[in-house]
Amino acid sequence: MEKKKFYITTPIYYPSDKLHIGHTYCTVATDTLARYHRLKGEDVMFLTGTDEHGQKIETKAKEAGVTPKEFVDHIVEGDRGVKDLWKLMNISNDRFIRTTDDYHVESVQKIFKKMYDKGDIYKGTYKGKYCTPCESFWTESQLVDGKCPDCGRPVQDAEEEAYFFRLSKYADRIRDLLENTDFLQPRSRVHEMVKNFLDPGLEDLCVSRTSFSWGIPVDFDPKHVVYVWVDALSNYITALGYDNDRYHDYDKGWWPGVNIVGKEIVRFHSIIWPAMLMSLGEPVPKHVFGHGWLLLDGGKMSKSKGNVVDPYILAEKFGVDALRFFLMRTFPFGSDGNFSNELLIQTINTDLANDLGNLVSRTTAMVGKYFGGQLPAGCRSCAEPQPFDQELRTLAEGLRSAYEEDMETFAPHKALDEVFKVIQRANKYIDENAPWALAKDMEANGARLAHVLYNLLEATRICGILLTPFMPESCEKLFAQIGAPAEAQTWEAAAVWGALPETAAVTKGENLFPRLDLDKALAELEAAEAEAKKAALPAIEVEPQLTEKVDFDTFCKSDFRAVKVKACEAVKKSEKLLKFTLDDGTGVDRQILSGIHKWYEPEDLVGKTLIAIVNLPPRKMMGLESNGMLISAVHTEKGEECLHLIMVDDSIPAGAKLC
């Protein structure tokens, strides 16, 4: 009988910088689901990868003085890059796609031409607002407080020739898909999509760009490159061989599959992606699941804010499986969750050290102490069973069914709840039976003691099977310690009580999850994070202060002008610098760098009118040119030095001379 096929994907990540814990969360969740379906005996295809084109990559590569391909190669293939991170996190993907792969480029050009030939893509002119970080076009009415509704950052005016996809043509079919099927999960996302995007009326989608060149060329109109979402979304089928000769799996039962994505890109996956597939005459995904964000201090992690968490440090400090478990155990999949280092350590101590680790350690130690590491034959049964024997057995026997229901409905956190009910019941079972008391009279109580310990081993075995998708390496060690053979580690064996051989060789190995000292672990983690930040900064030579005095006449030559902030962003690898794009009244944007990130977030400064000295010679900072200096004032407040930019009334025009 042919195995059931299951196809699951992460989003393809944008390699404008190293990935953080939020990307890791999504990938670990997808990996856990993929491992679960493999455990069930299904033929799984698990895809992840990187989305490597677009204006932001082109700009960052230029700033770094490398080609766009060299830039993304470093982040994807380089030391501690994307592939290294997934290897560290024990991600079991079957394929890894890069949108710069030749076969993907070939497929996307064919997909674009198919939709064009059908009349679903037409040429026009785009005029509106554009968010570079999100690679998204917006109408004026879609902006929130004049900023991008997705990321809250400034947008820029954009006008260029472009091709458009007739998204509006598919509005009714998309509405039916969302409202009348289980396509989009969790269900709470459906109302948001319908209310915010369908009810106001779907507008046709810009699907090509001419203002930059880093993308897949439209082969019949080469001055255009395929815009990011047609390029990126197509990966889910091009990686299976759709319209290319690299792979040949598209028509072999893999598609349609399940797309796991973050909630910020649900719109693209639940509206644009199915509309593209409808245009191509292909089936839409079985499900799109939009998970929530990991929040830090109540806000979304953001590279521009510098508040991201490095998964390398956490995995190296606490272990890969402990980090994987924490991500799946702590945050309800589908909702936002507040991340903290304290919560990570507390979860390791409570669930892994106290509950699971304690159960394995105590049980294997007692089998070794009282029976030399091997229980006697016949220990599976008991002449006088106690009520709590059956309670533990009944709970363990029903575990797989409850677990399966949760995993099938994208609720791995609930599945773990069910597993830990059994683990906690087993720990209580130890106290109820007091094996140490039974061991005082082995002649009278030896058979009972052996039965109690067998029940503990068996409950541990069943839980270990179902924990395997979450913590594969730790569960392998667990099975070795309790002596479970391969045939007792299967999905089928998880529903059977008594699959562990009575005389299995039991070994008290290393403690799977040692308890952590909270204060000590936090201090070590903070030191490691500080060291990592320091290592990421370029070496800076501190120059001595100048002794030459500037006379008053020279100072008076300074040209003070009002400048309006058009855009502002953090400078990569700098904790202090912000890069300003300014309107100084000349009609040409002026770039100034200022070391004020400690006191200001870049998005808070857009639209403000500041004062700048504009006739200073240009200078390089972090490899970027700064043309002038913003004027600020420094004072001491509560013993701490504070800085304030000098702002003037917004009615003062850009370029007005102020001194």
Side-chain angles (χ1 to χ4, degrees):
M1 181 178 176
E2 186 179 1
K3 289 183 178 181
K4 178 182 177 183
K5 283 182 165 58
F6 180 76
Y7 181 40
I8 190 167
T9 71
T10 70
I12 51 174
Y13 301 108
Y14 200 58
S16 59
D17 206 337
K18 297 294 178 71
L19 302 190
H20 57 66
I21 196 69
H23 306 109
T24 305
Y25 173 56
C26 179
T27 308
V28 167
T30 310
D31 179 71
T32 299
L33 292 167
R35 287 179 181 273
Y36 156 72
H37 283 274
R38 289 195 196 101
L39 178 63
K40 289 182 66 180
E42 297 176 20
D43 194 358
V44 172
M45 177 69 74
F46 169 22
L47 173 71
T48 188
T50 44
D51 168 19
E52 302 183 4
H53 292 125
Q55 186 174 2
K56 187 174 182 179
I57 295 289
E58 186 175 80
T59 300
K60 281 183 167 284
K62 184 177 180 180
E63 290 173 353
V66 296
T67 67
K69 187 62 164 61
E70 289 171 334
F71 182 87
V72 293
D73 281 350
H74 173 69
I75 292 179
V76 177
E77 308 275 357
D79 181 48
R80 296 172 80 89
V82 178
K83 288 189 173 181
D84 274 0
L85 178 58
W86 293 164
K87 184 178 180 181
L88 171 70
M89 293 305 301
N90 203 2
I91 303 301
S92 62
N93 55 291
D94 300 285
R95 286 190 187 154
F96 189 102
I97 189 171
R98 299 180 60 181
T99 54
T100 50
D101 290 339
D102 289 345
Y103 75 91
H104 175 77
V105 172
E106 174 192 351
S107 294
V108 168
Q109 288 178 325
K110 292 178 180 177
I111 287 169
F112 196 94
K113 186 65 161 58
K114 280 184 179 180
M115 294 193 293
Y116 176 80
D117 289 343
K118 188 175 181 177
D120 282 351
I121 286 180
Y122 61 92
K123 185 182 283 189
T125 300
Y126 178 82
K127 185 175 182 179
K129 304 294 183 179
Y130 181 67
C131 176
T132 299
C134 292
E135 302 274 3
S136 298
F137 286 105
W138 303 100
T139 62
E140 193 75 44
S141 63
Q142 290 174 319
L143 301 180
V144 176
D145 297 327
K147 297 179 180 179
C148 172
D150 276 353
C151 72
R153 283 176 279 199
V155 293
Q156 298 175 337
D157 291 326
E159 182 173 358
E160 61 186 273
E161 180 182 276
Y163 284 96
F164 290 82
F165 172 57
R166 297 186 193 278
L167 185 61
S168 57
K169 173 181 174 180
Y170 296 95
D172 290 342
R173 291 177 64 183
I174 296 297
R175 182 184 291 273
D176 180 67
L177 179 68
L178 291 172
E179 294 182 336
N180 300 318
T181 76
D182 62 353
F183 160 74
L184 179 57
Q185 300 286 330
R187 191 68 187 173
S188 58
R189 304 269 181 237
V190 173
H191 175 71
E192 178 187 351
M193 294 300 107
V194 171
K195 179 182 177 182
N196 293 345
F197 300 105
L198 289 176
D199 285 350
L202 274 185
E203 296 186 359
D204 289 349
L205 179 73
C206 178
V207 291
S208 79
R209 300 293 305 277
T210 55
S211 56
F212 62 90
S213 60
W214 180 238
I216 297 175
V218 175
D219 53 359
F220 58 87
D221 196 348
K223 72 177 181 179
H224 289 257
V225 294
V226 178
Y227 179 50
V228 62
W229 289 108
V230 171
D231 177 2
L233 292 166
S234 299
N235 94 91
Y236 303 125
I237 56 176
T238 65
L240 293 176
Y242 184 86
D243 261 344
N244 66 70
D245 295 324
R246 174 72 174 271
Y247 298 112
H248 305 279
D249 299 310
Y250 183 72
D251 297 321
K252 294 183 179 179
W254 298 109
W255 186 258
V258 176
N259 299 144
I260 305 293
V261 301
K263 69 177 186 179
E264 72 279 9
I265 52 174
V266 164
R267 173 173 71 98
F268 305 103
H269 285 78
S270 65
I271 295 176
I272 297 171
W273 177 220
M276 284 173 53
L277 291 164
M278 291 171 184
S279 176
L280 294 169
E282 302 296 337
V284 302
K286 289 179 181 177
H287 299 292
V288 167
F289 188 96
H291 65 76
W293 290 336
L294 294 192
L295 307 176
L296 195 64
D297 299 325
K300 181 176 182 274
M301 292 186 194
S302 166
K303 294 169 189 171
S304 66
K305 291 183 178 180
N307 67 341
V308 297
V309 174
D310 186 347
Y312 269 102
I313 295 176
L314 297 180
E316 290 167 353
K317 175 65 182 170
F318 302 114
V320 169
D321 276 355
L323 179 56
R324 286 175 59 105
F325 174 83
F326 166 72
L327 293 172
M328 294 296 93
R329 171 69 162 155
T330 312
F331 309 111
F333 199 52
S335 303
D336 291 345
N338 287 298
F339 175 92
S340 72
N341 291 330
E342 291 89 345
L343 185 59
L344 168 59
I345 296 167
Q346 289 165 359
T347 301
I348 292 172
N349 281 342
T350 301
D351 290 335
L352 296 182
N354 290 2
D355 287 346
L356 177 60
N358 203 30
L359 173 63
V360 176
S361 180
R362 294 171 77 189
T363 302
T364 55
M366 287 188 289
V367 174
K369 182 177 181 179
Y370 303 135
F371 294 97
Q374 187 176 54
L375 296 177
C379 62
R380 189 180 287 118
S381 58
C382 181
E384 297 181 8
Q386 300 297 316
F388 29 77
D389 296 341
Q390 190 58 46
E391 287 176 19
L392 177 61
R393 175 172 176 170
T394 299
L395 195 62
E397 285 180 320
L399 174 58
R400 196 190 79 167
S401 177
Y403 171 98
E404 182 177 21
E405 181 178 347
D406 291 329
M407 294 296 279
E408 292 290 338
T409 53
F410 307 103
H413 59 290
K414 291 184 178 180
L416 285 174
D417 285 343
E418 298 297 332
V419 173
F420 273 78
K421 286 178 186 177
V422 177
I423 291 171
Q424 290 157 4
R425 185 66 187 83
N427 278 313
K428 181 181 178 183
Y429 181 78
I430 294 176
D431 297 331
E432 289 170 333
N433 285 279
W436 49 90
L438 293 173
K440 291 179 180 179
D441 188 348
M442 291 296 287
E443 185 175 345
N445 302 322
R448 172 65 192 166
L449 176 59
H451 181 63
V452 168
L453 293 178
Y454 180 82
N455 287 347
L456 289 169
L457 290 172
E458 187 63 348
T460 301
R461 178 191 67 83
I462 291 173
C463 291
I465 294 171
L466 302 181
L467 285 172
T468 299
F470 299 86
M471 301 185 293
E473 291 184 349
S474 296
C475 289
E476 189 175 326
K477 295 177 183 177
L478 180 153
F479 291 134
Q481 291 185 16
I482 67 174
E487 61 270 20
Q489 301 175 27
T490 65
W491 175 253
E492 291 73 22
V496 177
W497 181 269
L500 183 72
E502 291 178 322
T503 58
V506 177
T507 306
K508 186 185 185 306
E510 64 178 0
N511 194 338
L512 294 179
F513 300 102
R515 184 171 176 80
L516 302 169
D517 181 301
L518 177 62
D519 292 337
K520 181 181 178 182
L522 281 175
E524 291 175 349
L525 186 57
E526 288 171 4
E529 290 172 340
E531 188 63 29
K533 286 183 179 179
K534 183 179 178 181
L537 295 174
I540 298 176
E541 181 179 348
V542 179
E543 297 181 2
Q545 293 187 8
L546 297 176
T547 57
E548 180 186 357
K549 304 300 182 183
V550 177
D551 60 40
F552 186 71
D553 289 339
T554 301
F555 173 75
C556 288
K557 294 177 182 178
S558 300
D559 189 354
F560 291 81
R561 299 276 176 167
V563 291
K564 292 188 183 294
V565 182
K566 297 178 65 176
C568 183
E569 63 183 85
V571 174
K572 183 180 178 182
K573 295 185 178 180
S574 173
E575 293 182 333
K576 297 180 179 180
L577 289 177
L578 295 180
K579 183 179 74 173
F580 289 80
T581 302
L582 303 164
D583 177 2
D584 63 2
T586 65
V588 178
D589 288 347
R590 175 181 293 271
Q591 179 172 290
I592 292 180
L593 276 67
S594 183
I596 59 172
H597 200 179
K598 178 180 177 181
W599 296 277
Y600 291 95
E601 290 301 328
E603 57 267 27
D604 297 333
L605 296 171
V606 176
K608 302 295 185 183
T609 303
L610 311 177
I611 302 175
I613 300 177
V614 296
N615 63 333
L616 295 175
R619 60 174 178 154
K620 283 288 187 77
M621 303 167 71
M622 298 291 289
L624 302 174
E625 191 171 275
S626 182
N627 293 283
M629 181 176 72
L630 296 175
I631 303 302
S632 57
V634 178
H635 70 94
T636 300
E637 186 175 295
K638 296 181 180 179
E640 183 177 348
E641 187 176 78
C642 299
L643 178 145
H644 294 286
L645 283 171
I646 304 300
M647 301 183 187
V648 296
D649 193 283
D650 290 343
S651 63
I652 296 177
K657 189 172 179 60
L658 299 175
C659 183

